[in-house]
Amino acid sequence: MKSIELEKSYDPKTFEDRIYALWKNSGAFEPKAGKNGEEAFTVVIPPPNVTGVLHAGHGLNNSLQDIIIRFHRMRGVPTLWVPGTDHAGIATQNVVERKLKEQGKSRRELGREKFIEETWKVKNEHHAVITKQLEKIGASLDWKRERFTMDEGLSKAVREVFVTLYERDLLYKGNYLVNWCTSCGTALADDEVDHEETKGKMYHLRYFFTENKEKYIEIATTRPETLLGDTAVAVHPEDERYCSLKGKTLRLPLTERDIPLIFDAYVERAFGTGALKVTPAHDPNDWELAKRHNLAVINILNPDGTLNSEVPEKYRGLSVSKARNIVIEDLKAGGWYVKEEPLNHSVGHCYRCHTVIEPFLSEQWFVRMKPLAEKALACWRKGEIIFYPKKWENTYKHWMENIRDWCVSRQLWWGHRIPAWTCADCGKLTVSRNDIDACPHCKSKNIERDPDVLDTWFSSWLWPFSTLGWQKAGGNTPDLQKFYPTTALITAYDIIFFWVARMIMAGLEFTGKAPFRDIYIHGLVRDKQGRKMSKSLGNGLDPLELVDEFGADAMKFTLAFMCAQGQDVLVDKDSFKMGTKFANKIWNASRYILMNLEGRALVKNPQVSQADKWIYSRLNGAAKSMREAFFSYRYNDAAQTAYEFFWNDFCDWYVEATKLSTKGGDEAEKDRSTTILLDVLEKSLRLLHPLLPFVTEEIYQKLPRAEGASALLINAEYPGYDEKQNNTAQEKNFASMQSLVGMVRTLRSECGITPEKKLRALVRTGEHTETFIQNEGLIKLLAGIGDLQIEEAKEDRPSGSIGMAGPGFEIFIFVAEAVDTQALKKKLSGDLERDLKYIEGLRAKLANEQFVKNAPPSLVDEQKSKLEETIKRTEKLGNYLKDL
C-alpha cells in the first residue's frame, strides 16, 4: 500500500459542503429496504416557522434528531426523517405587514389576494434560507419528501379534518370570550398567551345603592375602565354582611345604569371586601358567572382595542390606557374613588407581538377537546406512548384532565381559510369539503365565505400523518402504510401542549393510532447563567456562526455531550471548543495511521496480540453502551462513551502500543499490526459517525477498505455487541498495566523528570506476573522505562527508590539514578508545605457555618472534593520523602 495523506490541519470548511452533497446526491437520506424485515424508524421534523432563521434551540433539536436517525439508518432498518416548514400564520403575517408599513402601505389597501401573493414571496425567500441552514448543520433529511403546512396535500388534509370534526359534532361556532390581541387583530388560544408578572395597581371604588345614595359596596379592581361593561356585583350567599340586601340594585358609576347584586359561592368572602364587580365580556370568570345568573353581556371594546359605542360618548374611541386615566379622574371627581395600592400581578401577553391580551367577546370556531383528550389519556395509560424522561407524563396528564375547548379561528388572511359559508337569504351555515357557489339549502347565490383562517396549530397537529399522504387514496398510501405511526418525536418542553398533546389527539381521532411511540423531551439551550437566549440579552448563539467557526461536527457533538435528560443545556461559544478538539483528535490520529501505510500489505485473518484483544473488547463494550444509550435517548452518555473510547483507549493507549510493532517489528509483524490498526480505526469511525458525521465520512473515504465494504460510511453497519469479543480478563490485566504506567507518568511529573529520561524500575507482583512479562516491551515504551525488572512479591524496599502500590503489584522507581535527590527532597518538601497550608485554608472555609449555609451547594461540594484530593496528595508526597 501507499501512504495516504490527510491535510495537516483539521479544517471542516474544506470538506463539509462536499460531503453533504455526496450524501444527498447519492440518495443516502432516502429510506432503504430493511435487512431483516424490521419496522421502519421514522421521525417527522418539528417544522420551523417559515419566517424565521434557525436559532440555538433549532441547532440542538435538529442535531439530536440527526444523531438518532443516523444511528438507526446504520442499523439497517428503513429510516425516514421527514423535512418541512410551518406557515406560521400570525408570525408570517406580521413580517409582511411590517414590510408593507416600511413602504407606506397596509394590507387593507393591498387587498386580500395581493397580500397573500406577497406573503408567498416572503415564504419562498425564508424557506430557501432555512433549507440551507439545515444542510449546513448536516441534517440528513429526505428532501424528496419535504412538506409545507400550506402545500396542496396538507391543505386538503386540513379541510378534511375540519369538515369531519364538524360532522362529528366536535367543532362548533359561537359567541364566547376569547383572548384577543388588539395589535394582531385576532383571537388566540389559551396556550398562545404568555403570562408575565407586571407592576400594576389595585383601585378601590364605591358602588352606591340605587335606593339609598348614602350606602355603598366597596369593590377592588385592577382595570377600572372595564366597569363601563359591568352588569352585576357578586357576593357570597353566606356572607352575613350582605344577606339582608338580596334583591337590591346598585347604580353603576359614570353611567345611568342599575345593576343587580347577585349571590354566588364562587366569590371569596375573605378576599378584600368580599364583593366582586362582574364584567362578563372582559373576564373569563365573570363570563361563567353571567351564564349561571343570566346576566347581560356588554362588550365595550372595538377589535383594535379602543372603547366602542356601548360606553358614554366621552370615552368612545379612546385606547384602554387613555380611558383608564380619564375614568380614574372622573371617579375621583364623582366621589366613587376610595384609594389605590401598588400590586404585582400576572398579565397575559400575545406570544408573538407581546401586546397585552384583552378578554374579548367574539364569534369564533371551537374544537370540543374533552372527547379527544379522553382517548389521548387512555392511550398513555395503556403504554402506547412513552415519555423520555418520564417526569413529563405528569404534565401531560394534568393538561389533558384540565383541558378547555380550543379556539381555532384567527382573524388573519395568511393561513387555511375556514371552509364555511353563510347564506344571506335563508341564514343557514354550510361547511363543505369543496368550494360552493350556491346555498345547498335554498339554492341562493347570495352566500359569503367565512373570512377567518385556522390557527397555525390546526395544520401542525396533523403533521405526522398528513405529511405521509393520509388525505390521499383513502388514507392508504404506501408511505402511510410503511412509516406510520412514526417512531419518535424529539422536541423541546415548551411546546408539549401546543403541539405534542394535540398531535396525539388528532392521530387517535383520525387514524385510530397514536402518531408516535417515543416522545423525547429535551431541555432549552441557555447561557452559562441559566438565562434564556435572546437578542435583548445579547447572549444568543447562531448555529451557522458556530458551524463557520467550529464546524458542524463540533456543534453537534458538543450539544449531545451536554444534553442530559431532564436538564437544560447551558453553553456559551467557548463550550464548542471541546467538540473541535475531539474532531481534531480523530483527524490527527487517523492522519498518523494513514501516513504510515507506505510499503504495508493487508493480511487475511491476522493473529491478535494481547493489546489487540484488549482494544477489541473495549470497542465491543463501547458499542454496547452507545447502542443502549441511543435506544433510550441518553445522548450525553453516548457522546461521553465515544469520547472516552476514542481519546483514551484508542489514541492514548492502543495507537501508542502499536508503535512497538509498526516501528520496531519485522515486516510481517508490521503488516499484521497495521491490518488490525486499520480495522479498529474503521470500526471506530462507524461507532462515532452518528455524533460526528462529516469528519468520520471524510476519513472513511480515504481508508483502504475490504471488498464488499459500504461505499459510504453513512450507509455502513453500526458496530454491534458480540459476546465473543468481550474479554473481561484481558481488560483487567490491561487495566493493571495502565495503572502501572500511569503511576510512573505521575511520578515523572511530580519529581520533574523529563519524558526522554529513561528510568530503571522494579515491579513486584504475584497476580500479574505473566501479563507484565508478556507486555514488558509495551510497559517500557509507554512508561519511558529503560531497565525493567519483574519479580515475585517481597518484603524489603530497594534503596534509592520511590515505591508505589497498585492493584496487585508494587513498583519501585530508582529516582536517585535520574535526579539530584537532595534537590528533589527540597522540591517535594516545598510542595508538601504548600499543600498543608492549602488544606488548613479549606478546612477553615468548610468550618465556617455562614459559607456552608449561603454558598451554592455545588461550590461547597467542589471545596470538599479539593480537600479530599489535596489530603491524598500530601500522603503521597510524605511517602515519597520517607522513601528518599
Side-chain angles (χ1 to χ4, degrees), residues 8 91 110 127 159 186 215 219 231 275 281 305 336 380 401 425 436 503 532 576 603 618 670 694 833:
K8 191 171 184 181
L110 208 61
H127 172 263
R159 194 148 174 173
T186 185
K215 283 192 173 182
I219 61 95
T231 57
W336 292 289
W380 163 68
E401 288 177 345
D425 293 331
I436 61 171
M503 280 193 290
K532 282 188 81 169
F576 295 90
V603 177
R618 297 296 291 169
K670 286 178 181 177
F694 285 110
E833 187 180 345

mmCIF file of all heavy atoms in Angstrom, residues 8 91 110 127 159 186 215 219 231 275 281 305 336 380 401 425 436 503 532 576 603 618 670 694 833:
data_model
loop_
_atom_site.group_PDB
_atom_site.id
_atom_site.type_symbol
_atom_site.label_atom_id
_atom_site.label_comp_id
_atom_site.label_asym_id
_atom_site.label_seq_id
_atom_site.Cartn_x
_atom_site.Cartn_y
_atom_site.Cartn_z
ATOM 1 N N LYS A 8 -2.722 18.506 6.782
ATOM 2 C CA LYS A 8 -2.010 18.583 8.061
ATOM 3 C C LYS A 8 -2.912 19.055 9.186
ATOM 4 O O LYS A 8 -2.851 18.559 10.310
ATOM 5 C CB LYS A 8 -0.812 19.520 7.924
ATOM 6 C CG LYS A 8 0.135 19.447 9.104
ATOM 7 C CD LYS A 8 1.414 20.225 8.829
ATOM 8 C CE LYS A 8 2.381 20.062 9.990
ATOM 9 N NZ LYS A 8 3.627 20.817 9.776
ATOM 10 N N ALA A 91 -47.116 35.048 12.825
ATOM 11 C CA ALA A 91 -45.731 35.488 12.667
ATOM 12 C C ALA A 91 -45.450 35.948 11.243
ATOM 13 O O ALA A 91 -44.865 37.011 11.013
ATOM 14 C CB ALA A 91 -44.784 34.359 13.056
ATOM 15 N N LEU A 110 -53.847 46.906 0.082
ATOM 16 C CA LEU A 110 -53.395 45.941 -0.914
ATOM 17 C C LEU A 110 -54.511 44.972 -1.303
ATOM 18 O O LEU A 110 -54.621 44.572 -2.463
ATOM 19 C CB LEU A 110 -52.214 45.144 -0.319
ATOM 20 C CG LEU A 110 -51.195 44.584 -1.306
ATOM 21 C CD1 LEU A 110 -50.534 45.711 -2.090
ATOM 22 C CD2 LEU A 110 -50.117 43.803 -0.544
ATOM 23 N N HIS A 127 -37.821 30.200 3.163
ATOM 24 C CA HIS A 127 -37.705 28.744 3.050
ATOM 25 C C HIS A 127 -36.327 28.358 2.527
ATOM 26 O O HIS A 127 -35.702 27.402 3.011
ATOM 27 C CB HIS A 127 -38.793 28.199 2.117
ATOM 28 C CG HIS A 127 -38.634 26.750 1.806
ATOM 29 N ND1 HIS A 127 -38.013 26.302 0.647
ATOM 30 C CD2 HIS A 127 -38.964 25.636 2.500
ATOM 31 C CE1 HIS A 127 -37.996 24.991 0.641
ATOM 32 N NE2 HIS A 127 -38.564 24.556 1.753
ATOM 33 N N ARG A 159 -58.654 20.590 5.510
ATOM 34 C CA ARG A 159 -60.068 20.753 5.166
ATOM 35 C C ARG A 159 -60.872 19.498 5.524
ATOM 36 O O ARG A 159 -61.979 19.590 6.066
ATOM 37 C CB ARG A 159 -60.198 21.056 3.677
ATOM 38 C CG ARG A 159 -61.556 21.565 3.277
ATOM 39 C CD ARG A 159 -61.399 22.517 2.124
ATOM 40 N NE ARG A 159 -62.679 22.937 1.601
ATOM 41 C CZ ARG A 159 -62.821 23.872 0.667
ATOM 42 N NH1 ARG A 159 -61.775 24.478 0.173
ATOM 43 N NH2 ARG A 159 -64.012 24.209 0.223
ATOM 44 N N THR A 186 -56.551 39.487 16.220
ATOM 45 C CA THR A 186 -57.074 38.124 16.122
ATOM 46 C C THR A 186 -57.230 37.489 17.498
ATOM 47 O O THR A 186 -56.624 37.935 18.475
ATOM 48 C CB THR A 186 -56.136 37.235 15.263
ATOM 49 O OG1 THR A 186 -56.740 35.964 15.090
ATOM 50 C CG2 THR A 186 -54.777 37.065 15.913
ATOM 51 N N LYS A 215 -75.561 54.653 51.065
ATOM 52 C CA LYS A 215 -74.989 53.340 51.318
ATOM 53 C C LYS A 215 -74.295 52.834 50.043
ATOM 54 O O LYS A 215 -74.772 53.096 48.931
ATOM 55 C CB LYS A 215 -76.069 52.352 51.738
ATOM 56 C CG LYS A 215 -76.511 52.516 53.177
ATOM 57 C CD LYS A 215 -77.351 51.317 53.588
ATOM 58 C CE LYS A 215 -77.653 51.409 55.080
ATOM 59 N NZ LYS A 215 -78.419 50.246 55.531
ATOM 60 N N ILE A 219 -65.699 47.834 46.120
ATOM 61 C CA ILE A 219 -65.093 46.749 45.315
ATOM 62 C C ILE A 219 -63.652 47.158 44.971
ATOM 63 O O ILE A 219 -63.270 48.325 45.085
ATOM 64 C CB ILE A 219 -65.913 46.459 44.028
ATOM 65 C CG1 ILE A 219 -65.982 47.691 43.121
ATOM 66 C CG2 ILE A 219 -67.302 45.986 44.369
ATOM 67 C CD1 ILE A 219 -64.955 47.714 42.055
ATOM 68 N N THR A 231 -72.184 44.295 34.660
ATOM 69 C CA THR A 231 -73.632 44.029 34.633
ATOM 70 C C THR A 231 -74.124 43.458 35.968
ATOM 71 O O THR A 231 -75.291 43.084 36.084
ATOM 72 C CB THR A 231 -73.991 43.064 33.492
ATOM 73 O OG1 THR A 231 -73.248 41.859 33.642
ATOM 74 C CG2 THR A 231 -73.698 43.676 32.133
ATOM 75 N N ALA A 275 -66.757 41.563 47.874
ATOM 76 C CA ALA A 275 -67.655 41.935 46.769
ATOM 77 C C ALA A 275 -66.855 41.996 45.468
ATOM 78 O O ALA A 275 -65.719 42.465 45.442
ATOM 79 C CB ALA A 275 -68.308 43.281 47.037
ATOM 80 N N ALA A 281 -68.107 40.399 29.575
ATOM 81 C CA ALA A 281 -67.494 40.434 28.250
ATOM 82 C C ALA A 281 -65.979 40.599 28.312
ATOM 83 O O ALA A 281 -65.306 40.528 27.280
ATOM 84 C CB ALA A 281 -68.092 41.560 27.409
ATOM 85 N N GLY A 305 -58.967 47.597 20.094
ATOM 86 C CA GLY A 305 -58.646 47.897 21.483
ATOM 87 C C GLY A 305 -59.142 49.239 21.975
ATOM 88 O O GLY A 305 -58.878 49.625 23.119
ATOM 89 N N TRP A 336 -66.633 58.380 43.844
ATOM 90 C CA TRP A 336 -66.629 56.907 43.785
ATOM 91 C C TRP A 336 -65.263 56.308 44.167
ATOM 92 O O TRP A 336 -65.183 55.159 44.545
ATOM 93 C CB TRP A 336 -66.997 56.437 42.373
ATOM 94 C CG TRP A 336 -68.411 56.728 41.988
ATOM 95 C CD1 TRP A 336 -69.526 56.139 42.465
ATOM 96 C CD2 TRP A 336 -68.832 57.696 41.025
ATOM 97 N NE1 TRP A 336 -70.635 56.656 41.864
ATOM 98 C CE2 TRP A 336 -70.247 57.638 40.960
ATOM 99 C CE3 TRP A 336 -68.185 58.626 40.202
ATOM 100 C CZ2 TRP A 336 -71.005 58.444 40.128
ATOM 101 C CZ3 TRP A 336 -68.918 59.426 39.366
ATOM 102 C CH2 TRP A 336 -70.325 59.345 39.330
ATOM 103 N N TRP A 380 -52.065 6.853 26.716
ATOM 104 C CA TRP A 380 -50.886 6.939 27.591
ATOM 105 C C TRP A 380 -50.956 5.886 28.701
ATOM 106 O O TRP A 380 -49.970 5.215 28.995
ATOM 107 C CB TRP A 380 -50.788 8.355 28.169
ATOM 108 C CG TRP A 380 -49.897 8.444 29.362
ATOM 109 C CD1 TRP A 380 -48.544 8.279 29.386
ATOM 110 C CD2 TRP A 380 -50.300 8.684 30.715
ATOM 111 N NE1 TRP A 380 -48.071 8.402 30.665
ATOM 112 C CE2 TRP A 380 -49.121 8.661 31.504
ATOM 113 C CE3 TRP A 380 -51.526 8.934 31.332
ATOM 114 C CZ2 TRP A 380 -49.150 8.870 32.882
ATOM 115 C CZ3 TRP A 380 -51.545 9.153 32.708
ATOM 116 C CH2 TRP A 380 -50.385 9.110 33.464
ATOM 117 N N GLU A 401 -56.380 16.398 31.667
ATOM 118 C CA GLU A 401 -57.502 16.325 32.606
ATOM 119 C C GLU A 401 -58.148 17.690 32.846
ATOM 120 O O GLU A 401 -59.270 17.754 33.351
ATOM 121 C CB GLU A 401 -57.019 15.750 33.942
ATOM 122 C CG GLU A 401 -56.723 14.263 33.862
ATOM 123 C CD GLU A 401 -56.184 13.684 35.153
ATOM 124 O OE1 GLU A 401 -55.758 14.465 36.034
ATOM 125 O OE2 GLU A 401 -56.185 12.441 35.289
ATOM 126 N N ASP A 425 -79.775 34.770 2.408
ATOM 127 C CA ASP A 425 -81.226 34.666 2.220
ATOM 128 C C ASP A 425 -81.884 33.733 3.242
ATOM 129 O O ASP A 425 -82.862 34.108 3.895
ATOM 130 C CB ASP A 425 -81.520 34.192 0.792
ATOM 131 C CG ASP A 425 -81.129 35.246 -0.236
ATOM 132 O OD1 ASP A 425 -81.165 36.449 0.118
ATOM 133 O OD2 ASP A 425 -80.762 34.881 -1.359
ATOM 134 N N ILE A 436 -68.171 26.034 -2.705
ATOM 135 C CA ILE A 436 -69.536 26.071 -3.245
ATOM 136 C C ILE A 436 -69.819 27.455 -3.815
ATOM 137 O O ILE A 436 -69.222 28.455 -3.395
ATOM 138 C CB ILE A 436 -70.585 25.714 -2.159
ATOM 139 C CG1 ILE A 436 -70.533 26.723 -0.997
ATOM 140 C CG2 ILE A 436 -70.356 24.302 -1.626
ATOM 141 C CD1 ILE A 436 -71.664 26.576 0.003
ATOM 142 N N MET A 503 -51.143 16.574 18.643
ATOM 143 C CA MET A 503 -50.849 15.551 17.631
ATOM 144 C C MET A 503 -51.348 14.182 18.066
ATOM 145 O O MET A 503 -51.845 13.404 17.249
ATOM 146 C CB MET A 503 -49.338 15.501 17.352
ATOM 147 C CG MET A 503 -48.849 16.588 16.430
ATOM 148 S SD MET A 503 -47.170 16.272 15.840
ATOM 149 C CE MET A 503 -46.233 16.535 17.321
ATOM 150 N N LYS A 532 -32.471 32.354 29.395
ATOM 151 C CA LYS A 532 -32.893 32.052 28.033
ATOM 152 C C LYS A 532 -32.112 32.942 27.076
ATOM 153 O O LYS A 532 -31.789 34.074 27.398
ATOM 154 C CB LYS A 532 -34.402 32.309 27.860
ATOM 155 C CG LYS A 532 -35.269 31.205 28.426
ATOM 156 C CD LYS A 532 -36.739 31.399 28.078
ATOM 157 C CE LYS A 532 -37.032 30.918 26.676
ATOM 158 N NZ LYS A 532 -38.478 30.850 26.375
ATOM 159 N N PHE A 576 -17.985 25.117 22.632
ATOM 160 C CA PHE A 576 -17.873 24.318 21.410
ATOM 161 C C PHE A 576 -16.428 23.999 21.041
ATOM 162 O O PHE A 576 -16.177 23.216 20.122
ATOM 163 C CB PHE A 576 -18.602 25.018 20.265
ATOM 164 C CG PHE A 576 -20.087 25.106 20.513
ATOM 165 C CD1 PHE A 576 -20.634 26.193 21.170
ATOM 166 C CD2 PHE A 576 -20.923 24.070 20.158
ATOM 167 C CE1 PHE A 576 -21.989 26.267 21.440
ATOM 168 C CE2 PHE A 576 -22.277 24.123 20.426
ATOM 169 C CZ PHE A 576 -22.817 25.221 21.078
ATOM 170 N N VAL A 603 -3.240 -8.123 5.747
ATOM 171 C CA VAL A 603 -3.108 -9.552 6.000
ATOM 172 C C VAL A 603 -4.492 -10.163 6.221
ATOM 173 O O VAL A 603 -5.323 -9.573 6.930
ATOM 174 C CB VAL A 603 -2.240 -9.788 7.266
ATOM 175 C CG1 VAL A 603 -2.139 -11.270 7.597
ATOM 176 C CG2 VAL A 603 -0.859 -9.175 7.078
ATOM 177 N N ARG A 618 -12.656 -3.465 24.372
ATOM 178 C CA ARG A 618 -13.080 -2.095 24.737
ATOM 179 C C ARG A 618 -14.031 -1.524 23.675
ATOM 180 O O ARG A 618 -15.029 -0.878 23.990
ATOM 181 C CB ARG A 618 -11.867 -1.175 24.892
ATOM 182 C CG ARG A 618 -10.914 -1.562 26.002
ATOM 183 C CD ARG A 618 -11.546 -1.467 27.376
ATOM 184 N NE ARG A 618 -11.804 -0.083 27.759
ATOM 185 C CZ ARG A 618 -12.539 0.290 28.801
ATOM 186 N NH1 ARG A 618 -13.121 -0.630 29.552
ATOM 187 N NH2 ARG A 618 -12.724 1.562 29.076
ATOM 188 N N LYS A 670 4.805 -5.860 11.101
ATOM 189 C CA LYS A 670 4.299 -4.528 10.739
ATOM 190 C C LYS A 670 2.995 -4.650 9.942
ATOM 191 O O LYS A 670 2.051 -3.898 10.173
ATOM 192 C CB LYS A 670 5.346 -3.773 9.920
ATOM 193 C CG LYS A 670 6.527 -3.264 10.738
ATOM 194 C CD LYS A 670 7.550 -2.565 9.847
ATOM 195 C CE LYS A 670 8.738 -2.076 10.687
ATOM 196 N NZ LYS A 670 9.776 -1.453 9.859
ATOM 197 N N PHE A 694 -19.459 14.306 9.544
ATOM 198 C CA PHE A 694 -18.637 14.828 8.443
ATOM 199 C C PHE A 694 -17.194 14.332 8.514
ATOM 200 O O PHE A 694 -16.650 13.816 7.538
ATOM 201 C CB PHE A 694 -18.660 16.360 8.447
ATOM 202 C CG PHE A 694 -19.933 16.955 7.935
ATOM 203 C CD1 PHE A 694 -20.813 17.603 8.805
ATOM 204 C CD2 PHE A 694 -20.272 16.895 6.596
ATOM 205 C CE1 PHE A 694 -21.994 18.161 8.341
ATOM 206 C CE2 PHE A 694 -21.452 17.457 6.112
ATOM 207 C CZ PHE A 694 -22.317 18.089 6.996
ATOM 208 N N GLU A 833 4.609 21.434 52.055
ATOM 209 C CA GLU A 833 4.294 22.585 52.919
ATOM 210 C C GLU A 833 3.172 23.434 52.316
ATOM 211 O O GLU A 833 2.245 23.857 53.006
ATOM 212 C CB GLU A 833 5.564 23.425 53.118
ATOM 213 C CG GLU A 833 5.401 24.542 54.140
ATOM 214 C CD GLU A 833 6.691 25.339 54.311
ATOM 215 O OE1 GLU A 833 7.776 24.882 53.872
ATOM 216 O OE2 GLU A 833 6.604 26.443 54.877
#
